[in-house]
Structure formats: structure tokens, C-alpha cells
Amino acid sequence: MNDMTLEKAATVEFRGLRREFGPTVALDGLDLDVRPGELVALLGPSGCGKTTALRMLAGFEHPDSGEVLVDGQDVTEVPAHRRDAGMVFQSYSLFPHLSAVDNVAFGLRMRKVRTAERRARAAELLDLVGLGDKGERFPHQLSGGQQQRVAVARALINHPKVLLLDEPLGALDLKLRRQMQLELKRIQTEVGITFVHVTHDQEEAMTMADTVAVMNGGRVEQLGSPSDLYENPRTTFVANFLGTSNLIEAEVDTRSGDGIVLKAGGGKLLLPEARCSAPTTTGGKVLVGVRPEKISLTHADAAGDIPAGRNRITGKIAATSFIGVSTQYVVDSAVCPEFEVYVQNIDRDAKLAPGAEVVLHWNPAHTFGLHADQSLLAGTTGSAGVGTVDDEAAV
Amino acid sequence: MATATSEAPALAPAPATKPPRRRGRWTPYWLLLPGLLWLFVFFALPMVYQVSTSVQTGSLEEGYKVTWHFATYWNALADYWPQFLRSVLYAGSATVLCLLLGYPLAYLIAFRAGRWRNLIMILVIAPFFTSFLIRTLAWKTILADGGPVVGVLNSLHVLDVTSRLGITAGDRVLATPLAVVCGLTYNFLPFMILPLYTSLERIDGRLHEAAGDLYARPFTTFRKVTFPLSMPGVVSGTLLTFIPASGDYVNADLLGSTDTRMVGNVIQTQFLRILDYPTAAALSFILMAAILVMVTLYIRKSGTEDLV
């Protein structure tokens, strides 16, 4: 296994990739830099171009314009069978007529490695993915998770500079998916090469990736570490696609120190200036966001107990749902219909039932500000954000 | 003994909770009945009849009697082994030609045809809209002496080569082995293409990408992935071509000569002209057994018993 950990990790660069399929723009000038040895997730709804970008890196698709660089070298014109990239396919695409060990050894056979050596190396990789004893089984005799591991081993056999994963866990059930997320992360740490992982599952991206590139409409909407993206989304799309956000339309009133005071529906909210990605001239519009789990809920009768200096909004509970670790409340408020609040089930207040008048309050430091010039609903379920040529021509 | 008696009361209540009678237990057998009846009347009975005919002796005037005269088999084989050999040779050549012509076409339809796929499929099946006999007669015109095909082959000196190989005769294509093999190839080509297409079409295109990703050049991908996965189609295609072609007599009759007679022609003549029923029945039986043996060996060898 030593020769594998010594493998040099490569950088990956996408430069202005553009690709149209008929009237659909799959990639609209995609730029992305991946650092060596990093696990980067391309995250986005279906149709956002993430798979197309991955297939261009593998060499299965050719961009209309732009280039792909691996380790600083332009590989745009290099056919797939001469690229140093290993691919794990969505449906695994194992060769059904070959046993697990022969599937893994296939890449070595193509490189004319002698039989004894390639079987030894394939067995070594099967050990790495925890299938050392299943080498003689055929794909149809293996479970989905096991096929997945064989596919990973097969893609790693030629010491690729980059491993590409196309929705690798999509076909597995939830429990197995969790297990494989950690497993893939472990393998990546062990072999130390660059992983590019395509997924539409935000939880999977956040669990596994060092860096997440949130994609929308054929380009990267925002790039960053999972926690950075979650805490500091720069667009409503990212705010809604990664977890849930409550967004409120507000108007800039005054400044106070490092903060900005905003007017929203008669009340005032405080927003740290560092967490606002929009210009903040007085009278300008800003979207204020806050994550549901940052909010505390107090019955209106006990409003006096709320410490000073917190952002407050009043409303009425529309619905509650108990989900074990927490209770989710939907609150109707003048500034935002369907405000979502997640409260941990520590001391449940029986008065917080549908119909109750409540005060929502949170630490102003947890507030983020977004440019007002975008849809509040971008990135929520149902809006895929696929751009078409027709749409763009109409704009 | 003691345990048996002590267990008896415990078992007693069992009949009271008798499981509900399973309804429709006989339905599958009832549904099979018409098919079994059909097979019995049109397959099993004729087989028995044919075996009994093959061991009869006598003449048409005096009537035939079962005398267990197995010598008919040896006599038939001794007299007609060249026709048997020729049948295997012609049918084998036609099968190989069908595979060589049909595989690229099936590959094209399965992977490259795009929106033309259905049109090409219809064109493959279209000959079936016309009678087998008429299509074969049409080949008689196509290959006619002094016709355009013969003219072109002649001017390209192809016929010089084929004549030297003994598959054509001088300036003629008609009434030569080449014409018979061409006719067989043409008539059975769809039976090759359809199973090939079915098995190729089932191959996931991503397997090609996976192979390419693992440094396989396109031709290597074909050799190591596509072709092995299409083996079920190759096996069933060759069987569907070879089996009927080796029993065929229409092509040899219409496109061949007395020198190209296949075993099918002999059987037809024995049954309908010479009226020597025992010999005809014995020949049929030998042909059937020969095909059965060859096919079994072939399937064993290609290791696809579970795939056909």
C-alpha cells in the first residue's frame, strides 16, 4: 500500500467551460480550481451541469469552449483512454462478465501488466476497500454496497491523479450511504489523491468534502468549506439549497459600530456588517437570513424574559412537528410567512402549540445579509435553476 | 414409544386448524394443456411415426411393414454422405457470412443509429413481407448469366478467382455453390441480426466509457467488453441461422444445380418423387441427430448454456 500513499496528488482546473445540448446550456462558463489532495464536491440540483463537468474531466464530453487542466497540463483534447483519471460511475458499470478481481485488474490488463502481478495488485486494492475475500464473485453476486467498493477499487488501480465519483452513493439505502460516505473519506485519506465528487445530496457533500462547489445554471454559485457555505451563504440559492434558511426582506436604516440596523415590518434587526454580501447604503434593500436552529421561541406572555440585544420577530405558530431530537415550528409572521424554527427538545413548553402568539429571537451574530436583487425561493425544492438559451434570449 | 404416545394428544388439535384449501393449484397445468396437446399431436406423434417409417420395408404397391430394418440408416448414410457434408459446409459458410455481415449492422443499429434505429430495424424485417420463395426467385434474376452482377464480378476478375476455388463455374454464378450460399446468407440474415441486436442493445453504454477510462482503446473495448457481452446473441444468432439453413432445400433447388444438392433436396426427392419413405425418414432422422450433436457441442464450447 506504500506506493499508493506516495502517489502525487494533482490540481484540477476548469477554465471557462461551456457546453450546450440543443437548447439547454449545461455549462455556462464554469471556472473552478481544485487543490491537490482535496476532496471537492460539486453540489447542485439535477440539470446544474455538475455531471457534465465531471464527464469533461474524465474525457467523455468535449466542451464547446474552455479548457480542462490536470496538474497544470491542458487535457481538453486528450481522449479518455489516455487520461490519468479514474471514474466511479453512478450505476457502478462493472463488467458483468468479469469477476470482482478481474474487474479491478482490467486497467492493469489494458496496460499489459503480467497476470500474476495484476492479480496481486487487484487483491491488494480489494483489501483496501474491505472486499479481500470476495474477489472471485461476479458483480451480480455482490450487493450494491459491495459493487460500489469494487468500482472504487477498479478506478484506483492505475494510480490515477484524480478520482472522479459520479453520484456514487445514489443507489444505496440511507444507512449504507452513511457508511460508504465515511468509507470513501477514509480511502481518500489513505491514497491521498484528489477526489472530485458529484452529488445532489447536500448532506453527503457536507459530510465528505473538504470544499464544496455549489453549482447552479452551469456555473459555480459559491465555493467554500461546508461550514463556511452553511454559515455565510452569498446567494439565496446557496442559502436555500444547503439546509433551510428564513429570508426576510429588509431596508437599511442606520449603522451602529460593526453592525447595520435594518427595518423589517415595523421592527428592527441587527446584522453584522462582515456577514453581509450586499451593498448597505441607507434606504437600500437587503435580504436578511437566519438558520432555523439558531432561533429561540418564547411565548408572547413571557416576552419580558428575553435578554436585551437580540433580534426579535413576533408571530403566531401555524404548525408544529415533533421529530425526536427537535421540534420544528412553522411560524406566521408579518415579515415572513412560514418562518421555520427548530427547537431542541430539552424543556418543552406546552404553551407553544399551534395558534399561540410567540416571539422569535436570536443572537444578531447569526444573521446574514444577501443581495435583495434575487428570488427568495431560488434553490428551494422544485426550482432546478436550469438555464436555457430561450430563457436567456428573452432576458 | 413412550414419547410417541405422550406426543399424540399435542398433535390431535392440528386437523381442526386445517389450512384453507389452496385454490387454483391446478391452474398452471390446465393452462399448459393446450400447448402440451399441440406438442403431442404435431411433434411427438410425428416423431414416433417417422421412426417407425424409417425401419419399415416393402414397396408402395405392396405396402410398408415395420421390420426393424436399421440397415436403411447405413444405406442412406453411405449413399448420401456427400449431400450431408455439403449441407454442413454450405450452412456453415452462410452462417459465418451472416455473422460477418450482421454483426456490424446490429452494432450500428444498437449504438450508432440514433433516431434511424427504428427505420433500419424495419428494413431488416421488411423482406419477411414477401414470400421466401419469391425472394429466392428474385436472386435467380439478380445472379442471372450476363446480368449486371455477373458482369461486374467478371470485369473485376473476381470470377476467375472464385472459379479456381471451385465455387463458381466459368462465367456463371447461378447454379454454383456460391449462388446457393449467397441465397442462404440472404434468406437467414435477419435471424442473425435480430438476436445480435437484442443482446448488443442490452449492453450499458457506460461500460464502454468505463473501459475507456481504464485505458482500453476503442478496439480493445470491443474485444474485451462488447464482444464477450454479446456472446448470447452470437450463439443464438448462429443457431437460428445454421439449423434452418442446413435443412433448407429451396435455395439449392432454385439457385443451384445437381452438383449443389443438399440433404434437404434429397429428402424432398425421396419423399415426393421416388416415394421411398423409409430412406427419406431415415435421412430426416440422421439430419436431426447430427444437428442436435453439433449444436450441443457448440453450446458446450461457447459456455453459454445459461445465456441462450
Side-chain angles (χ1 to χ4, degrees):
Chain A
M1 219 67 67
N2 275 336
D3 59 325
M4 305 211 48
T5 45
L6 291 173
E7 202 58 40
K8 218 169 55 203
T11 57
V12 173
E13 294 156 74
F14 292 137
R15 294 264 170 274
L17 288 182
R18 189 173 172 81
R19 181 78 162 98
E20 291 172 20
F21 295 105
T24 311
V25 180
L27 289 178
D28 186 14
L30 174 75
D31 287 300
L32 180 67
D33 281 353
V34 180
R35 289 191 296 269
E38 192 174 39
L39 199 164
V40 67
L42 303 183
L43 173 68
S46 58
C48 74
K50 56 191 193 298
T51 296
T52 310
L54 193 78
R55 290 171 59 79
M56 275 178 190
L57 184 50
F60 302 141
E61 298 278 354
H62 194 266
D64 296 337
S65 61
E67 51 199 27
V68 179
L69 286 83
V70 174
D71 231 0
Q73 291 190 321
D74 185 354
V75 297
T76 319
E77 302 303 324
V78 178
H81 65 268
R82 298 223 188 86
R83 288 197 195 187
D84 291 328
M87 178 101 161
V88 178
F89 291 82
Q90 186 167 14
S91 48
Y92 321 135
S93 296
L94 296 178
F95 303 121
H97 60 301
L98 299 179
S99 65
V101 68
D102 285 337
N103 260 285
V104 177
F106 188 89
L108 295 174
R109 198 163 112 198
M110 291 305 112
R111 294 185 135 188
K112 311 269 191 286
V113 175
R114 276 178 301 114
T115 315
E117 190 189 338
R118 68 179 188 233
R119 284 190 77 88
R121 277 169 65 185
E124 202 173 283
L125 264 170
L126 281 173
D127 276 340
L128 173 75
V129 297
L131 284 179
D133 55 334
K134 304 274 192 313
E136 299 310 320
R137 301 253 182 113
F138 282 82
H140 65 91
Q141 297 168 319
L142 296 170
S143 71
Q146 290 169 337
Q147 290 185 38
Q148 168 73 60
R149 288 157 198 261
V150 175
V152 172
R154 185 179 69 171
L156 285 172
I157 193 88
N158 281 326
H159 302 292
K161 289 178 176 165
V162 192
L163 189 77
L164 313 178
L165 302 122
D166 182 10
E167 303 260 5
L169 310 177
L172 304 179
D173 62 53
L174 188 63
K175 203 172 164 195
L176 204 52
R177 199 153 56 205
R178 293 255 166 79
Q179 195 185 326
M180 278 307 290
Q181 286 170 3
L182 301 175
E183 181 81 8
L184 282 173
K185 186 71 192 161
R186 176 185 69 78
I187 292 169
Q188 198 251 346
T189 318
E190 204 153 317
V191 298
I193 61 169
T194 312
F195 274 37
V196 180
H197 177 188
V198 156
T199 180
H200 66 267
D201 180 344
Q202 46 117 353
E203 192 190 314
E204 186 177 309
M206 303 235 271
T207 315
M208 294 173 66
D210 303 313
T211 304
V212 176
V214 181
M215 289 186 64
N216 183 28
R219 51 171 77 216
V220 174
E221 187 104 358
Q222 192 176 344
L223 182 73
S225 70
S227 60
D228 181 42
L229 287 176
Y230 188 78
E231 299 298 345
N232 299 304
R234 281 206 304 271
T235 63
T236 55
F237 180 84
V238 177
N240 289 326
F241 194 77
L242 276 183
T244 308
S245 292
N246 294 301
L247 296 171
I248 307 161
E249 284 173 322
E251 191 179 302
V252 179
D253 190 27
T254 54
R255 284 159 189 275
S256 72
D258 293 340
I260 305 159
V261 179
L262 303 154
K263 281 193 289 188
K268 301 229 161 157
L269 299 171
L270 194 64
L271 166 68
E273 186 161 18
R275 298 199 60 195
C276 182
S277 58
T280 52
T281 46
T282 304
K285 296 268 186 218
V286 171
L287 289 176
V288 176
V290 60
R291 297 288 188 182
E293 74 279 6
K294 314 278 198 219
I295 304 171
S296 305
L297 203 57
T298 304
H299 195 272
D301 297 345
D305 301 343
I306 301 170
R310 287 172 76 85
N311 282 338
R312 298 164 183 240
I313 281 175
T314 53
K316 189 197 252 183
I317 295 178
T320 72
S321 59
F322 175 76
I323 58 159
V325 291
S326 66
T327 303
Q328 304 191 349
Y329 295 90
V330 178
V331 178
D332 270 337
S333 123
V335 292
C336 174
E338 303 201 343
F339 214 97
E340 289 204 47
V341 182
Y342 304 162
V343 179
Q344 278 219 313
N345 288 325
I346 303 169
D347 301 307
R348 294 181 65 210
D349 185 347
K351 286 195 286 181
L352 297 178
E357 296 286 344
V358 288
V359 179
L360 314 171
H361 53 101
W362 67 91
N363 182 345
H366 291 140
T367 320
F368 55 85
L370 304 173
H371 210 287
D373 186 20
Q374 52 188 331
S375 162
L376 281 170
L377 297 174
T380 51
T381 342
S383 73
V386 192
T388 67
V389 170
D390 294 340
D391 289 349
E392 282 174 4
V395 170
Chain B
M1 272 301 140
T3 51
T5 46
S6 69
E7 261 173 24
L11 287 171
T17 59
K18 199 170 70 176
R21 212 170 70 88
R22 274 176 58 203
R23 296 183 61 199
R25 200 146 52 98
W26 294 101
T27 311
Y29 301 100
W30 285 115
L31 288 172
L32 270 176
L33 202 62
L36 286 174
L37 211 64
W38 182 276
L39 274 179
F40 180 74
V41 173
F42 294 103
F43 181 75
L45 274 186
M47 286 290 269
V48 171
Y49 184 72
Q50 192 187 328
V51 173
S52 88
T53 306
S54 70
V55 291
Q56 287 171 354
T57 47
S59 68
L60 198 61
E61 294 78 30
E62 298 164 16
Y64 289 104
K65 269 203 198 89
V66 176
T67 54
W68 303 105
H69 188 257
F70 284 103
T72 315
Y73 281 83
W74 309 122
N75 295 340
L77 210 50
D79 289 346
Y80 299 110
W81 66 267
Q83 281 83 351
F84 269 109
L85 206 63
R86 208 177 279 138
S87 287
V88 173
L89 204 65
Y90 288 2
S93 312
T95 306
V96 171
L97 279 175
C98 279
L99 187 62
L100 293 178
L101 292 171
Y103 203 104
L105 188 60
Y107 189 92
L108 181 102
I109 302 172
F111 296 121
R112 297 289 151 83
R115 60 205 175 90
W116 300 103
R117 179 185 281 199
N118 287 337
L119 182 73
I120 303 178
M121 282 307 279
I122 290 170
L123 290 178
V124 168
I125 301 165
F128 290 129
F129 297 156
T130 320
S131 130
F132 181 73
L133 215 57
I134 291 178
R135 282 182 281 133
T136 312
L137 277 170
W139 272 82
K140 213 167 173 162
T141 318
I142 295 169
L143 298 177
D145 301 345
V149 173
V150 172
V152 169
L153 289 178
N154 218 350
S155 62
L156 291 173
H157 300 286
V158 174
L159 292 186
D160 293 349
V161 181
T162 52
S163 294
R164 210 158 299 156
L165 291 172
I167 55 174
T168 57
D171 287 349
R172 297 199 74 191
V173 172
L174 204 61
T176 65
L178 182 68
V180 179
V181 172
C182 280
L184 287 171
T185 305
Y186 163 76
N187 276 312
F188 293 106
L189 190 57
F191 296 105
M192 179 65 87
I193 292 173
L194 292 176
L196 277 177
Y197 165 76
T198 315
S199 69
L200 282 169
E201 192 254 353
R202 269 196 307 212
I203 300 176
D204 182 359
R206 284 185 194 270
L207 292 178
H208 299 162
E209 291 185 347
D213 193 54
L214 297 163
Y215 300 98
R217 280 173 290 116
F219 183 68
T220 318
T221 303
F222 174 77
R223 229 160 31 89
K224 298 287 184 195
V225 178
T226 316
F227 190 72
L229 288 176
S230 70
M231 269 319 276
V234 173
V235 171
S236 48
T238 44
L239 290 180
L240 282 178
T241 311
F242 181 79
I243 296 172
S246 51
D248 183 78
Y249 66 91
V250 174
N251 286 282
D253 203 33
L254 296 179
L255 303 173
S257 68
T258 46
D259 294 334
T260 64
R261 280 160 59 82
M262 294 164 70
V263 71
N265 303 81
V266 179
I267 295 170
Q268 184 223 12
T269 314
Q270 292 292 338
F271 257 125
L272 302 179
R273 304 245 177 85
I274 302 173
L275 306 176
D276 179 358
Y277 298 139
T279 305
L283 283 169
S284 304
F285 218 79
I286 295 169
L287 178 65
M288 215 168 355
I291 289 175
L292 205 64
V293 169
M294 281 188 287
V295 164
T296 310
L297 290 177
Y298 175 62
I299 294 178
R300 278 276 173 80
K301 186 121 176 36
S302 50
T304 47
E305 289 106 320
D306 52 340
L307 296 175
V308 180

